[in-house]
């Protein structure tokens, strides 16, 4: 089956372009902008890991190494489209316009962390595995019924394809031919379980065949391959040609979360090798150097600007008003059940108030 789903690649590890890939469709300025977006995402990720270690945010879910998959896919959307992320896809949501301050608030357990800026359609990050796929299919169906050309892009990992929600989401999308793009980031591990122990298929892309939908496999560390593959899928969806399943094969350097120790189940030396070979930022750097478009001063200025942005967002997060604990009960039921009401009354009594 691997031969039926070859890995689509535009930019190889040496920063050289496939001559048949249509690279003339994208400018050096756009490629530099992609580099900026990935660098911004990586610096925020590195900072967030440090913040967790310092006790300034809670358990954090890192994504370093997956920047091309997330940034490239998000860049293919238009304002008004829908994005359905997992708990790991803050590089994608940041690219699509999410507030950096709110992304940090999310890791402090704040409800505001799930709220995107006005007019940007980002669903709150899904913590249960695969639950966002039926949501994305439903939103796409709603847009189709409205007669709009808006598209849903939904993210999920390889482990999510073992969940029932994955199959329900794809089946619904296929039956109703909704404008949705199902974007899998195949990191090779569902926490500690390698791909070969959770499925018998050789690819995730081939699972789309069972739902008679377009499906393809791309190099998830090649931002150009990701961008053009998602852009093509989005354009198909806008024209009413149905959903697509894309598998982006990538590699995350760090742990599943800051509470995980990947050395117990994965050879961590592989990550160090990949930093020198398949790294998505290094690949663009090599391309720009090959084209004579790389300047160290430009990169240094980018890092300085991004670090200032991160520090500003961090200051805003840490100066944010303390939460009202009664918010715990606000979104459980429209009308509280008697069990919830008892908890509310008990909480308010401790606070010296009445409901």
């Amino acid at each position: 089956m691997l031969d039926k789903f070859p890995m689509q690649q535009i930019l190889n590890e040496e920063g050289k372009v496939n001559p048949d890939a249509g690279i003339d469709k994208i400018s050096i300025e756009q490629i530099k902008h992609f580099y900026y977006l990935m660098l911004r995402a990586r610096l925020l990720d590195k900072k967030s890991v440090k913040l967790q270690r310092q006790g300034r945010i809670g358990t954090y879910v890192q994504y370093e190494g997956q920047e091309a998959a997330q940034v490239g896919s998000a860049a293919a959307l238009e304002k008004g489209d829908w994005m359905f992320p997992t708990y790991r896809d803050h590089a994608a949501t940041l690219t699509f316009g999410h507030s950096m301050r709110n992304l940090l608030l999310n890791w402090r357990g704040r409800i505001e962390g799930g709220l995107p800026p006005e007019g940007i359609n980002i669903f709150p990050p899904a913590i249960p595995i695969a639950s966002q796929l039926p949501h994305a299919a439903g939103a796409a169906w709603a847009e189709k019924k409205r007669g709009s050309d808006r598209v849903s892009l939904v993210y999920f990992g390889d482990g999510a394809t073992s969940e029932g929600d994955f199959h329900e989401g794809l089946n619904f999308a296929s039956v109703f031919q909704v404008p949705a793009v199902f974007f899998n980031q195949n990191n090779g591990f569902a926490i500690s379980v390698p791909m070969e122990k959770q499925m018998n298929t050789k690819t995730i892309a081939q699972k789309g065949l069972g739902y008679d939908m377009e499906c393809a496999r791309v190099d998830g560390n090649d931002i150009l391959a990701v961008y053009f593959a998602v852009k093509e899928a989005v354009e198909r969806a806008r024209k009413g040609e149905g959903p697509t399943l894309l598998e982006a094969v990538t590699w995350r350097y760090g742990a599943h979360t800051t509470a995980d120790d990947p050395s117990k189940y994965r050879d961590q030396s592989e990550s160090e090798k990949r930093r020198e070979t398949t790294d998505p930022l290094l690949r663009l750097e090599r391309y720009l150097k090959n084209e004579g478009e790389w300047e160290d001063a430009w990169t240094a200025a980018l890092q300085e600007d991004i670090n200032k942005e991160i520090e500003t967002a961090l200051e805003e997060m840490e100066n944010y008003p303390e939460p009202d604990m009664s918010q715990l009960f606000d979104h459980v039921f429209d009308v509280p059940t008697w069990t919830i009401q008892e908890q509310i009354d008990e909480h308010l009594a401790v606070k010296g108030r009445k409901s």
Side-chain angles (χ1 to χ4, degrees):
M1 190 58 73
L2 283 172
D3 60 326
K4 294 183 180 179
F5 289 93
M7 191 97 71
Q8 297 179 17
Q9 186 185 76
I10 293 176
L11 194 63
N12 70 16
E13 289 81 357
E14 301 306 316
K16 295 178 181 177
V17 172
N18 176 351
D20 300 322
I23 193 65
D24 57 322
K25 295 179 182 177
I26 194 163
S27 66
I28 286 291
E29 289 71 25
Q30 183 64 58
I31 290 175
K32 284 188 169 183
H33 186 60
F34 282 160
Y35 184 87
Y36 156 74
L37 292 171
M38 288 198 294
L39 181 63
R40 182 176 180 233
R42 177 163 294 187
L43 291 178
L44 176 62
D45 186 69
K46 286 179 171 291
K47 182 68 173 183
S48 297
V49 172
K50 292 177 181 177
L51 292 173
Q52 190 279 329
R53 299 307 189 204
Q54 294 166 359
R56 296 162 76 183
I57 60 174
T59 299
Y60 176 71
V61 182
Q62 59 261 61
Y63 54 80
E64 186 187 9
Q66 296 182 217
E67 294 90 353
Q70 294 192 25
V71 172
S73 54
L77 293 179
E78 295 178 1
K79 188 174 181 181
D81 290 332
W82 288 86
M83 178 178 284
F84 291 80
T86 71
Y87 45 72
R88 192 184 308 282
D89 298 308
H90 15 301
T93 59
L94 186 66
T95 299
F96 197 47
H98 211 310
S99 155
M100 190 180 287
R101 181 204 68 186
N102 281 16
L103 284 174
L104 290 170
L105 281 172
N106 178 66
W107 298 110
R108 271 203 165 184
R110 297 299 296 267
I111 190 172
E112 296 84 358
L115 300 177
E118 188 70 28
I120 297 178
N121 298 329
I122 302 175
F123 213 67
I127 304 302
I129 303 302
S131 64
Q132 70 278 13
L133 276 77
H135 296 157
W141 189 42
E143 292 290 1
K144 180 177 179 177
K145 290 177 74 68
R146 288 174 58 194
S148 84
D149 67 349
R150 298 298 91 192
V151 172
S152 286
L153 173 63
V154 58
Y155 294 88
F156 54 99
D158 43 303
T161 68
S162 299
E163 296 283 343
D165 283 343
F166 167 80
H167 300 281
E168 291 165 12
L170 265 67
N171 188 61
F172 187 97
S174 175
V175 168
F176 293 98
Q177 286 294 284
V178 305
V181 179
F182 295 90
F183 188 77
N184 168 252
Q185 294 174 87
N186 182 1
N187 178 60
F189 286 85
I191 309 184
S192 59
V193 183
M195 180 177 167
E196 61 269 16
K197 287 189 176 181
Q198 58 175 307
M199 63 188 74
N200 193 43
T201 59
K202 302 305 179 187
T203 72
I204 287 169
Q206 72 193 77
K207 296 187 179 189
L209 296 176
Y211 302 100
D212 196 24
M213 67 171 63
E214 292 286 335
C215 38
R217 197 163 178 254
V218 301
D219 182 347
N221 298 320
D222 174 2
I223 192 168
L224 300 184
V226 171
Y227 172 73
F228 282 113
V230 176
K231 189 173 179 61
E232 181 181 343
V234 165
E235 288 172 354
R236 262 198 316 269
R238 282 200 210 289
K239 292 188 289 186
E241 296 176 5
T244 300
L245 170 63
L246 293 173
E247 175 189 0
V249 180
T250 184
W251 183 269
R252 185 179 64 253
Y253 298 133
H256 177 71
T257 73
T258 51
D260 176 44
D261 179 6
S263 66
K264 293 184 179 297
Y265 55 81
R266 189 178 80 172
D267 181 3
Q268 286 300 92
S269 66
E270 180 69 19
S271 288
E272 297 313 308
K273 293 175 188 174
R274 286 176 176 265
R275 286 184 186 276
E276 300 301 320
T277 54
T278 64
D279 184 81
L281 278 86
L282 180 60
R283 195 176 302 201
L284 274 197
E285 177 181 337
R286 286 172 172 166
Y287 172 77
L288 290 170
K289 285 179 176 177
N290 290 341
E291 296 295 310
E293 295 287 347
W294 179 267
E295 296 177 8
D296 290 339
W298 168 71
T299 317
L302 284 185
Q303 291 194 34
E304 184 178 354
D305 289 344
I306 292 166
N307 284 328
K308 285 179 181 177
E309 181 187 9
I310 292 171
E311 290 304 319
T312 298
L314 177 57
E315 184 178 353
E316 290 174 352
M317 178 201 77
E318 295 192 316
N319 290 330
Y320 205 75
E322 288 298 311
D324 181 349
M325 291 299 289
S326 65
Q327 287 181 325
L328 285 170
F329 310 102
D330 286 350
H331 303 290
V332 182
F333 294 100
D334 181 34
V335 177
T337 64
W338 68 268
T339 54
I340 296 293
Q341 190 60 54
E342 277 192 355
Q343 294 175 59
I344 294 172
D345 293 341
E346 182 180 345
H347 167 72
L348 293 177
V350 171
K351 294 290 186 179
R353 308 201 313 261
K354 294 182 179 180
S355 59

